[in-house]
Amino acid sequence: MMIVLRVRPGDPDDPSIPPRFNHTLVHPLSPTEVRVDVDPVALIGAGASSHASSSKRHPTFTFDTVLGEASTQVDLYDATAKDTVDEFLKGHNVTFLA
């Protein structure tokens, strides 16, 4: 199984994003790692201590592939489905889960 994260550009006016996430930013660090930055003021407002550790404010996560904001649909297809579709066309059973 492969885990791929696609980071899309943020839209502060997007009504589908709950207000509590408006102060959270995801930064690709490498082709496989992202850092999550949370505004310390937002943490305090959520009941966190004013001495929140930097690991809580800036955790990093590793994935098989991280696609940044500049990635295209073709990049996403190439990273996730291309090889599997090729196997399907050869007659093998495949499964996609999104």
Side-chain angles (χ1 to χ4, degrees), residues 5 7-8 24-28 34-37 63 66 69:
L5 174 70
V7 179
R8 62 186 179 107
T24 305
L25 300 172
V26 177
H27 302 282
V34 296
R35 182 184 73 218
V36 177
D37 289 335
F63 298 88
V66 172
E69 291 182 16

Side-chain angles (χ1 to χ4, degrees), residues 3-95:
I3 307 296
V4 177
L5 174 70
R6 183 179 189 189
V7 179
R8 62 186 179 107
D11 178 2
D13 298 324
D14 185 346
S16 68
I17 299 174
R20 69 182 182 272
F21 295 128
N22 285 339
H23 300 285
T24 305
L25 300 172
V26 177
H27 302 282
L29 298 176
S30 74
T32 60
E33 191 173 51
V34 296
R35 182 184 73 218
V36 177
D37 289 335
V38 179
D39 181 358
V41 175
L43 282 176
I44 294 168
S49 160
S50 62
H51 300 289
S53 74
S54 62
S55 64
K56 287 190 178 200
R57 286 188 290 161
H58 306 290
T60 59
F61 298 92
T62 303
F63 298 88
D64 294 309
T65 303
V66 172
L67 299 172
E69 291 182 16
S71 65
T72 65
Q73 287 296 101
V74 172
D75 295 332
L76 181 63
Y77 173 79
D78 288 344
T80 59
K82 183 178 180 182
D83 293 339
T84 306
V85 169
D86 289 343
E87 289 300 311
F88 173 75
L89 293 173
K90 292 176 186 175
H92 298 120
N93 291 329
V94 300
T95 301

